[in-house]
Amino acid sequence: MRAKVRKAVFPAAGLGTRFLPATKAQPKEMLPIVDKPIIQYGVEEALQSGIRNIIMVTGRGKSAIEDHFDVSFELENLLETRGKKDLLAIVRGISDMIDISYVRQKEALGLGHAVLRAKELVGNEPFAVVLADDLIEARTPCLRQLLDVYASFDAPVLAVMEVPAEAISSYGAIDAEPVSYNGSNDRVYRIRDLVEKPEAPEAPSNLAIIGRYVLTPEIFASIESTDPGSGGEVQLTDALKHMLRSRPIYALRFEGKRYDAGDKLGFLEATVEFALRRKDLGGPFREYLKKLKL
Ligand code: G1P
């Protein structure tokens, strides 16, 4: 029997230099899209995909993340005595539902290195990796879509999407051949090769890796034998390329819309679109936008 995916690893040790000065004294993962920290969207996606065991890989200056997912007695007490039941439910909800552990990445040595820090907590079972900066709005949560492919192929699966050719150098790119899945021939691919941040002319395709992965525990040994690559960092993409020699890896062109919340423009796009979709804000916010002389 195929092992169930119970755990999701959230690398969250990055320095957030792209959002300075906002991230000088607070983690970038805590920046809100409307009124919810970026990282909570990722945690909720994991929960909605059936995973409640969360492993955060954090670093110095990230204690706000731990506090956010912890019980806040003073706040809960205050809301209770003031009869603010709705807010109380919001504040309690998330910490009640997940089982969370933390491990530190002492130095920012790359995504591969961050995932390797979770080795002991993951143990010998398949697991998911969620890069919360990639915010994905989808009818079926993106991670759930990947888990379904994992269940069919019994092999690691990465999320991918098509990007404009000139944008591929910001991503990991795959060389892959389509395979049939659920009656379609253009959603799932068997990967032939992977390259981290290729220059556009050298890119094997315009299929970019997006921050959702379902991995098997062999990846840890693979990361251990991976040398630093792009940017002088130990790259998960390189470790996957290494693992490809011993087992097949698949990619899913997921259904849904991805926002790069780690980038200022992507962050603004997500903020505007999420606000427009909100029941309580959408109407008046739309009216306000219409009045702007653009
Ligand atoms: C990481 C991965 C890259 C992937 C990207 C998706 O890069 O290394 O392969 O395409 O996430 O967001 P980063 O954006 O952390 O440099």
Side-chain angles (χ1 to χ4, degrees), residues 18 28 111 131 133-134 170-173 195-197 208-213 233 235-237 258 260:
R18 284 199 270 177
K28 65 167 177 172
L111 179 58
L131 309 186
D133 276 0
D134 286 324
S170 304
Y171 299 90
V195 197
E196 180 68 8
K197 310 216 166 82
I209 302 171
I210 298 303
R212 302 288 184 278
Y213 308 74
E233 297 185 337
Q235 298 294 347
L236 184 58
T237 306
R258 173 256 187 180
D260 182 1

Side-chain angles (χ1 to χ4, degrees), residues 38 42 45 58 67 79 84 103 154 181-182 223-224:
I38 293 173
E45 182 185 323
T58 66
D67 289 342
L79 294 173
K84 304 229 181 250
V103 61
D154 195 16
Y181 172 70
N182 260 355
I223 300 172
E224 276 161 346

Side-chain angles (χ1 to χ4, degrees), residues 268-288:
L268 289 172
E269 287 167 1
T271 302
V272 170
E273 292 186 32
F274 280 51
L276 284 171
R277 266 186 234 123
R278 282 270 295 251
K279 279 202 195 86
D280 55 343
L281 281 172
F285 187 47
R286 184 174 315 261
E287 290 313 308
Y288 160 73

Side-chain angles (χ1 to χ4, degrees), residues 185-201:
N185 278 315
D186 65 349
R187 281 275 161 209
V188 175
Y189 298 81
R190 181 165 171 168
I191 296 179
R192 283 190 290 243
D193 197 12
L194 311 92
V195 197
E196 180 68 8
K197 310 216 166 82
E199 290 304 326

